Amino acid sequence: MSIWWSLHLRRDAASVPLARRLLLGTMETAGVDPEISYDLSVALSEACANAVEHGGGGTRDHASEAFRVTAYLDGEKCRIEVADAGPGFPAAGTRPRPQPVPAEAEHGRGLCLIEQLADHVHIGNKPGRGGAVVSFDKILKWREDAPLTAV
């Protein structure tokens, strides 16, 4: 079984719960274990919130006011990618690894949470065009009564 979808969303806070609800609904319909669904939805929310906050360019053009979310449920794995049109991350050799932040901090937890909730994480830049790409995947577990189990 394979399911995929892609959204082109405005860089607006209201886009974050929209993406999250679509992912949760897809996984619930497919029969993914609720704990796995929850972990992936939190990671997606963090990646989207980062795109909304940091993903715009210096200009107010159409491309910098949007970001893209793509989700693939393929066999036993879910892969999610969030790409924006912002300045991207610093060069790979200079980019620090996400570090844990104090519990009372209001910012700076997103990438660290994504790394803790997903099995594999890739943080990088879009080749040639600028913008950040955060992709992550997780091995799926299925409910006993799953209507669409992996084949």
Side-chain angles (χ1 to χ4, degrees):
M1 181 235 357
S2 290
I3 300 171
W4 74 269
W5 50 261
S6 186
L7 300 171
H8 186 81
L9 298 167
R10 286 190 312 167
R11 278 186 48 241
D12 184 274
S15 296
V16 177
L18 173 65
R20 182 178 176 146
R21 283 192 294 259
L22 182 57
L23 179 68
L24 284 169
T26 301
M27 292 195 295
E28 180 182 357
T29 300
V32 175
D33 178 81
E35 286 184 33
I36 299 293
S37 297
Y38 179 77
D39 287 351
L40 284 168
S41 72
V42 171
L44 173 63
S45 295
E46 293 297 331
C48 289
N50 284 346
V52 168
E53 185 172 348
H54 306 291
T59 64
R60 298 283 296 171
D61 66 352
H62 177 67
S64 69
E65 291 304 311
F67 68 102
R68 187 187 75 240
V69 176
T70 306
Y72 306 90
L73 279 77
D74 190 23
E76 294 292 321
K77 181 170 69 172
C78 178
R79 180 174 188 84
I80 298 171
E81 179 179 287
V82 177
D84 64 45
F89 293 100
T94 62
R95 181 176 62 238
R97 302 257 324 140
Q99 299 295 318
V101 296
E104 64 276 1
E106 293 192 22
H107 298 288
R109 286 188 224 163
L111 295 177
C112 190
L113 268 172
I114 293 168
E115 286 194 335
Q116 291 174 357
L117 294 169
D119 294 329
H120 299 97
V121 178
H122 176 74
I123 299 168
N125 293 324
K126 290 195 285 190
R129 299 186 333 188
V133 179
V134 175
S135 62
F136 51 95
D137 58 62
K138 189 166 184 81
I139 300 298
L140 298 175
K141 294 179 187 170
W142 301 90
R143 293 188 325 249
E144 290 293 322
D145 64 341
L148 302 174
T149 58
V151 179

